[in-house]
Amino acid sequence: PFCPSVCSYCSFSSGPLDRWKEKVDAYVDALCKELEFIAERSKNKKLNTIYIGGGTPTTLTAEQLERLMSWIDEKFSREYLLEYTVEAGRPDSITEEKLKVIKNHDITRISINPQSMQQKTLDVIGRKHTVEEIKEAYALARKTGFDNINMDIIAGLPGEDISDMEDTLAQIAQMHPDSLTVHSLAIKRAARMEREDLNRDAKETHEILSGMIERAAKAAKEMDLFPYYLYRQKNIAGNFENVGYAKVDKAGIYNILIMEEKQSIIAAGAGASTKIVLKDPIPMPGSKKKKMTRLIRQENVKAVDAYIDRIDEMIERKGEWLWH
Ligand code: SF4
């Protein structure tokens, strides 16, 4: 849950590294404790995908990443593993040393997220890195041997027009990512950003966004990336969707599984959301006839301090459901 700086549109519970620096080791300790419990309790389950993400995992130092990934290797079986993703979202968190650590642990897929290739936009949304750094991080990842790299972009960022999106897509096409995820900015978040272009009326916003999304779909096709998953969040501008495009055999398996809700996702860390798919429906409390949904959600506390302090409670809360 740490990032080099917090982007103005962030919907995660991520905090700036400067503020939390002293707590990161304690956080990794707590995380490892929760992971150990999960590994122990889910020994009879087949682990298909691992996803380290939300916030920017590569904000950890190379040593901290090494500690976390070695722990995961030690505790979990890879017998049924199909995919292992690490979000290296912010280019300003990526170094050669960290990429080597990730590669040495046989991570199969990483994500380097520009959001926009327009410097004016990166500055406005508080990304605190340059367009050049995105290209350098991407080239470094290829050099380190990653052959499945995703890139995320956002349509509807403040001050952007269709021509900005076209330019972003053209620059991304030159990098040849294996998958591209196109998000539409959620309206609530856009409002929080005090965007100057909120003066645009709804019709104009809709036209611009649909133009951007259309261009993204066209560009993805030209990059040989095909749509493979789609989801909608509440209050997305213009009621558009988020769409994932990928080359054949490079689709993010975890992305598909999380949308399908047919497989349990056991999540660890601050703000992590576990979804347990029960084998059978369970009786609804207070009713003899009605049965409850087969999906149980269990959320960890979001605040880093509270997660570290209350780690035993987080583990205990998970306990009963992991038996299913
Ligand atoms: S990189 Fe992602 S998680 Fe981190 S602050 Fe920006 S939007 Fe939030």
Side-chain angles (χ1 to χ4, degrees), residues 125-139:
I125 61 178
R127 294 283 285 188
K128 299 210 166 43
H129 61 78
T130 63
V131 169
E132 211 40 51
E133 278 178 276
I134 300 169
K135 293 180 183 172
E136 284 165 13
Y138 185 89

Side-chain angles (χ1 to χ4, degrees), residues 1-16 54-56 59 87 89-90 92 113 115 125-127 154 189:
F2 311 109
C3 288
S5 64
V6 175
C7 310
S8 47
Y9 58 85
C10 184
S11 64
F12 295 100
S13 49
S14 194
T56 307
T59 308
E87 265 194 80
R90 289 276 292 262
D92 43 345
N113 303 327
Q115 311 305 6
I125 61 178
R127 294 283 285 188
I154 300 177
R189 266 175 268 157

